[in-house]
Amino acid sequence: MKTATPATARAINDRLVLDLLLERGPLTAPQLREFTGLSRPTVSDLIERLRDGGLIEVAGECGENRRGPNARLFGIVAGRAHVAGVDVRRTAVNVTVADITGRTVGSAVRDIPGSGGGSAPPGSGGTPGLSALIGSAVAEAAAGRVLDTVVLGAPGLVDPRHGDLVAPNDVPGWEPGLLQTVRRDLGVPVTMENEVNLAAVTEHRTGAATGRDDFVLLWLDDGLGSALVLDGRVRRGASGGAGEVGILRTAGGSLCDLVVADVLRDLGRDDAAGRIAACAFALVAILDPGLVVLGGSIGREGGDDLAELVEGRLRDLSPAPTEVRASTVEGNAVLQGAVLTALDLTRDRIFG
């Protein structure tokens, strides 16, 4: 059995404290010793090392009548790095910029021409290309801040081997090589991820799947998407197509055509629940995730009542006990997942 070298032990302790400060906010040296179990000399050296590295700073004092070194509160240097999350949908580009603590510092939106059918798509008729729209939105949200990482969410299968779309999507103005163009224009690392996978990241961290290592997210909107989280990790498959049940065909057509939002809204609630349960069953029968989360506009609108109906229908189809919950994420789950993923990448690079 190998033992950790002093350098490795320092790196582990540093990351332990940095993650603790991200989770709890500024803490004193005695509090750091209490929460980590590290000795006084170790914490003292660690604080000095992290301050010299520009990662933490004195953020105030603890207690109205206390003074001295033990009263100092140490917190993450929020401006040490900034990240951007980008959600590219069929109608608009949404951007959020956050500092390394996760606090939002800027946002921007750009409508995509041609999404409503009344104007030319980006890059045609003299209009700016989609990459230019993305760059413009990112620049506005960043407001002059240097970005460390950008994560871009988009519809379609994203091949985990090279990080680009397997096939073109239906976003107006999307062209082959767009990812490379965005990377060149922004001049920072840009990672692309499937939009529903990013929504699943948010659901896992802050939504209905918090505390669950295994679940399936069904994204019920203008199409049918799904994401798989197993052992706490998003599973993409060999080419990014893991869990895409929408392409399965039945006598009535593809599952995607049977559960698009406009179709479900025209059905009675029981019939809609039956169709959604049939989609979930295709995944539950193989994966046995124990939890299905209903996201997208239909999942949010249906809420707990729809989730309960789907769970009952699923119980009739599968012997595997499966809980069904409506999404509890407030706001844009895809955009939030993009920011969370960008923060993970940046913190691993900077914090070690």
Side-chain angles (χ1 to χ4, degrees):
M1 179 178 176
K2 294 183 179 180
T3 58
T5 65
T8 301
R10 286 194 296 270
I12 292 171
N13 291 338
D14 288 356
R15 186 61 190 261
L16 175 65
V17 166
L18 290 166
D19 286 344
L20 189 61
L21 293 175
L22 286 171
E23 177 186 355
R24 294 178 174 268
L27 297 170
T28 63
Q31 288 172 327
L32 290 173
R33 295 197 297 271
E34 176 186 354
F35 290 133
T36 63
L38 298 174
S39 67
R40 180 188 295 267
T42 297
V43 169
S44 178
D45 290 345
L46 183 151
I47 288 173
E48 182 178 357
R49 184 166 60 250
L50 294 180
R51 289 184 70 183
D52 289 344
L55 297 178
I56 68 172
E57 62 186 353
V58 176
E61 292 188 339
C62 179
E64 295 181 359
N65 300 316
R66 296 185 59 186
R67 295 292 184 269
N70 284 340
R72 293 178 186 167
L73 286 165
F74 297 97
I76 301 288
V77 178
R80 181 66 172 77
H82 292 87
V83 304
V86 182
D87 176 20
V88 181
R89 299 291 183 94
R90 297 167 182 84
T91 58
V93 175
N94 291 269
V95 179
T96 293
V97 171
D99 64 32
I100 201 169
T101 69
R103 181 177 64 93
T104 297
V105 297
S107 61
V109 180
R110 291 289 185 279
D111 291 332
I112 296 180
S115 57
S119 57
S124 63
T127 61
L130 184 56
S131 60
L133 283 178
I134 295 171
S136 172
V138 170
E140 179 185 333
R145 299 178 180 89
V146 176
L147 298 176
D148 184 88
T149 305
V150 175
V151 170
L152 187 154
L157 306 187
V158 178
D159 192 319
R161 294 167 296 184
H162 55 68
D164 210 341
L165 290 182
V166 173
N169 59 29
D170 57 358
V171 174
W174 195 289
E175 297 178 341
L178 178 74
L179 177 60
Q180 289 69 33
T181 302
V182 172
R183 285 172 173 165
R184 185 192 66 227
D185 291 348
L186 294 181
V188 299
V190 180
T191 298
M192 186 158 64
E193 177 62 279
N194 171 264
E195 57 179 348
V196 183
N197 284 348
L198 292 176
V201 170
T202 309
E203 211 67 63
H204 192 212
R205 301 281 186 89
T206 65
T210 301
R212 302 290 288 263
D213 285 339
D214 304 306
F215 73 97
V216 167
L217 171 64
L218 280 185
W219 191 259
L220 303 161
D221 216 295
D222 55 353
L224 170 63
S226 60
L228 313 179
V229 174
L230 302 174
D231 296 326
R233 295 173 52 201
V234 173
R235 302 295 178 168
R236 299 170 179 83
S239 60
E244 293 295 341
V245 295
I247 61 176
L248 296 179
R249 301 196 65 81
T250 68
S254 71
L255 290 183
C256 184
D257 293 337
L258 295 176
V259 296
V260 293
D262 290 343
V263 171
L264 290 179
R265 291 191 179 103
D266 289 338
L267 296 175
R269 182 156 286 210
D270 286 342
D271 289 339
R275 290 194 180 189
I276 295 169
C279 296
F281 175 62
L283 295 168
V284 168
I286 297 172
L287 300 172
D288 187 20
L291 172 64
V292 173
V293 177
L294 305 182
S297 61
I298 293 297
R300 291 193 300 270
E301 292 169 12
D304 293 339
D305 291 340
L306 178 61
E308 184 178 350
L309 285 173
V310 173
E311 183 174 320
R313 292 299 190 91
L314 197 54
R315 192 180 305 120
D316 295 335
L317 296 171
S318 172
T322 306
E323 186 179 2
V324 180
R325 298 178 183 175
S327 170
T328 58
V329 173
E330 296 290 339
N332 188 328
V334 176
L335 188 58
Q336 293 175 49
V339 172
L340 289 169
T341 302
L343 286 170
D344 287 346
L345 294 170
T346 293
R347 289 168 181 169
D348 283 346
R349 187 185 69 78
I350 293 177
F351 292 168

